[in-house]
Amino acid sequence: MGKHQEGTTMSKKLVEASPTVEKCLHRDKLHSIKSSVASPVQSRCLVCLGNNGCRIVRSRTKLMNMLVGKGKPHEAHYIFNCLIEEGHRPTLITYTTLVAALTRQKRFKSILSLISKVEKDGMKPDSILFNAMINACSESGNVDEAMKIFQKMKDSGCKPTTSTYNTLIKGYGNVGKPEESLKLLQLMSRDKNVKPNDRTYNILVRAWCSKNNIEEAWNVVYKMVASGIQPDAVTYNTLARAYAQYGETYRAEQMLFEMQNDQVRPNERTCGIIVSGYCKEGNMEDAMRFLYRMKQLEVHPNLVVFNSLIKGFLDIKDSDGVDKALTLMEEFGVKPDVVTFSTIMDAWSSAGLMGKCQEIFDDMVKAGIEPDIHVFSILAKGYVRAGEPQKAESILTSMCKYGVHPNVVMFTTVISGWCNAVKMQRAMSIYEKMCEIGINPNLKTYETLLWGYGEAKQPWRAEELLQMMEEKGVRPKKSIIQLVADSWRAIGLASEAKRVLKSAEEDRQSMPNKKDEIAVESIHRKQNLSASNSTFLQKPGVVSGDRNGSSAAKIRSQIVLRSDTVWTATKSLFANAYGSGVQPMVVCRKQCSQVGTCGQFVNAYRLVFIN
């Protein structure tokens, strides 16, 4: 008993302090050496060889399971490898946990060889291990391989469970083959050991809805009822979502009567789907009508409902509707979140009224709501649109104060601001800072800079940038080469443009087997920044907010103020924006597709690169 407790305590410590995993494993290894024999290749644990149940294997398996549950499958995989290196023999539970870890890592190919390894260790795979492997193959979209494992499972004498069939049915649904899922349902009905359950039918309903075949989805519901299983809220929510997705939200609402006849109560999700559906259709009258109907259904409107209403009213430029939704939000006691604020900020930003956008941000911070990367992206894009790259750049510093670090999209947005202003030294300064802190530029970053050099009439600088791209392992695509050629042509040097295109073509022919996109993929990976990044740009920030402001209970008073504050301006948001000469951003089609210049339109319009 004492030994078991000791192993459990050790496992907990490893989970809490994952950076010290190797040290802790080393301590376990010392125990292992005492009970093992030396070998030229590796030691073998005598306890494992004797099939007596090795304490170290048990404790490490528990630890692996805990790490997978905590979203650390890489560490779980590492621990498994350590077990093997130290000469231990994993149990079936260990292998099953490894399958879960590999599935989380999307390392599906590594899973297929595990059955032979298990058998090599003198064990027979059980139904739990088979089910885990079938699930992994289904998750990867490799349903054919999942069916092979399913057949091997039956051949080995393991009986498939309802969960086994459900996983396969879901797998075929995910790859868009619901007809194959139906065949499995028929196969399931011939198996005396299993019966379809509500989850089986709900998976099938979702599969047909995903194919936009709601008629077949209803046929599954009828089969469900015929088998003695009543549809539940999940069944009806799946159908409602399909109706809303394809612009027939009224049918989703009509379905409520059928739900009530089946004694299934609509829940918050049901109502949220219907309200959101009406909002996406621009049918705000029915959206508001249904909001009041929710009271009759005894369903309390939640944050999702109100956020949908706010966005819906903003989409149709109805500021009075936004005000009404916010008033009702307060009356129902629903507090706004970061999505609420960011939705409103985006409306102000798109209208070119950054002062109002900044006010909403300040209100959000005072309300104690932490801004996320999307919020800061809205601010940066807005300032770039407004022709204020200095303010956009200052956000890169300010956001770090809130524990949010800029990503490649944020940097590229700011770079585009300086390129629009034809201040390429500032643009390259941001590019260099970006590289210094470990964020790799993506293709859009380079396109933006190349376009900027074209606007600055500096094609030789654009060629230097091409060289930098290659040094970073990024092979330019044809569109990028064309940008450089266009830059030379813009200053009247057509011969230089031909030289660039010819050189690129020669390079491409010399490496015919290389795909342009291969090298680019690696630079799209998002990278986390350390806390030290907060000092990389020493510029005053325009993003402000008092973290010690009023409590969340006073959010309404901060968002919806009736006189000479932000919501007075909200009521005239679009009237002011579009009625007084402020124009939305316009980008000509050629600029969007080629990220290049467009003749006489270059000076008339501002090109903004926003991912």
Side-chain angles (χ1 to χ4, degrees), residues 325-502:
L326 288 162
T327 302
L328 288 169
M329 193 174 186
E330 182 194 19
E331 290 176 1
F332 279 100
V334 178
K335 297 177 181 179
D337 65 353
V338 68
V339 176
T340 316
F341 282 99
S342 63
T343 301
I344 300 169
M345 285 177 62
D346 195 43
W348 288 121
S349 175
S350 298
L353 300 173
M354 289 307 297
K356 299 302 180 184
C357 182
Q358 184 71 45
E359 282 185 51
I360 298 297
F361 176 87
D362 295 340
D363 285 342
M364 177 177 66
V365 174
K366 290 175 184 176
I369 297 174
E370 292 289 335
D372 59 13
I373 187 70
H374 180 59
V375 169
F376 290 110
S377 180
I378 290 170
L379 285 169
K381 289 176 186 177
Y383 282 122
V384 168
R385 287 191 187 105
E388 300 182 85
Q390 178 69 48
K391 290 184 177 180
E393 181 177 337
S394 68
I395 291 170
L396 296 175
T397 302
S398 300
M399 64 192 296
C400 295
K401 299 174 184 176
Y402 298 91
V404 182
H405 298 291
N407 56 17
V408 63
V409 177
M410 283 287 295
F411 274 106
T412 303
T413 299
V414 176
I415 287 171
S416 73
W418 287 118
C419 289
N420 291 330
V422 198
K423 293 187 177 180
M424 295 308 297
Q425 285 187 339
R426 299 298 296 271
M428 284 304 295
S429 174
I430 300 299
Y431 168 83
E432 289 164 3
K433 292 290 183 183
M434 176 183 181
C435 296
E436 282 175 14
I437 62 175
I439 295 182
N440 289 323
N442 63 18
L443 196 57
K444 181 62 69 175
T445 312
Y446 288 113
E447 286 178 337
T448 304
L449 287 166
L450 288 168
W451 178 86
Y453 278 125
E455 289 295 281
K457 311 298 183 187
Q458 297 176 348
W460 56 91
R461 296 288 187 192
E463 282 206 57
E464 289 176 5
L465 188 62
L466 281 182
Q467 182 65 33
M468 292 169 65
M469 288 178 67
E470 292 176 1
E471 288 173 358
K472 285 187 173 290
V474 182
R475 185 170 173 76
K477 296 171 69 173
K478 285 184 178 180
S479 59
I480 285 188
I481 301 297
Q482 189 63 51
L483 273 176
V484 179
D486 289 343
S487 298
W488 281 112
R489 195 172 286 112
I491 62 172
L493 294 176
S495 59
E496 290 298 308
K498 291 179 181 178
R499 174 186 58 79
V500 169
L501 293 174
K502 183 180 179 181

Side-chain angles (χ1 to χ4, degrees), residues 122-136:
M123 294 179 287
K124 184 179 179 181
D126 60 6
S127 59
I128 298 174
L129 179 58
F130 276 121
N131 282 343
M133 297 184 72
I134 290 170
N135 177 67

Side-chain angles (χ1 to χ4, degrees), residues 11-20 63 66-67 70 72:
S11 297
K12 288 180 180 177
K13 287 181 179 178
L14 286 174
V15 173
E16 292 171 359
S18 57
T20 63
L63 176 57
M66 292 170 72
L67 287 169
K70 287 180 175 288
K72 300 178 180 179

Side-chain angles (χ1 to χ4, degrees), residues 566-582:
V566 63
W567 284 107
T568 300
T570 301
K571 291 186 176 181
S572 57
L573 165 62
F574 294 97
N576 289 343
Y578 301 114
S580 59
V582 178

Side-chain angles (χ1 to χ4, degrees), residues 148-303:
K148 290 179 184 178
I149 296 175
F150 173 71
Q151 189 59 50
K152 187 174 181 65
M153 178 182 187
K154 293 198 294 184
D155 293 343
S156 69
C158 284
K159 295 180 179 179
T161 63
T162 299
S163 177
T164 311
Y165 282 101
N166 287 350
T167 301
L168 289 166
I169 290 170
K170 181 181 177 182
Y172 276 119
N174 288 343
V175 297
K177 295 182 178 180
E179 60 281 352
E180 297 296 326
S181 297
L182 277 178
K183 292 178 183 178
L184 277 167
L185 180 65
Q186 296 169 0
L187 184 64
M188 194 177 185
S189 63
R190 294 197 294 266
D191 192 329
K192 297 179 181 179
N193 299 307
V194 294
K195 275 187 175 183
N197 56 18
D198 56 348
R199 177 169 169 76
T200 311
Y201 289 105
N202 285 336
I203 291 170
L204 273 166
V205 169
R206 184 169 64 249
W208 283 114
C209 286
S210 297
K211 292 280 286 184
N212 193 20
N213 194 333
I214 301 181
E215 183 180 351
E216 282 296 335
W218 274 109
N219 287 336
V220 173
V221 175
Y222 302 144
K223 288 181 182 179
M224 184 179 189
V225 174
S227 70
I229 299 174
Q230 288 300 313
D232 56 12
V234 175
T235 314
Y236 286 109
N237 287 347
T238 304
L239 291 164
R241 188 177 292 106
Y243 280 129
Q245 185 176 351
Y246 298 108
E248 296 182 326
T249 306
Y250 72 96
R251 291 184 180 274
E253 186 174 356
Q254 290 174 351
M255 197 174 60
L256 294 180
F257 295 107
E258 192 155 351
M259 291 181 71
Q260 291 171 330
N261 290 336
D262 287 340
Q263 297 183 337
V264 178
R265 290 187 60 181
N267 55 25
E268 287 184 346
R269 180 164 293 183
T270 315
C271 296
I273 290 168
I274 293 172
V275 171
S276 177
Y278 280 133
C279 291
K280 288 177 181 176
E281 294 170 17
N283 187 354
M284 298 310 297
E285 182 179 347
D286 280 336
M288 288 298 291
R289 175 188 55 75
F290 189 80
L291 175 70
Y292 291 110
R293 187 183 174 188
M294 288 177 68
K295 187 175 181 181
Q296 299 173 1
L297 298 171
E298 298 181 351
V299 179
H300 192 278
N302 60 13
L303 191 55

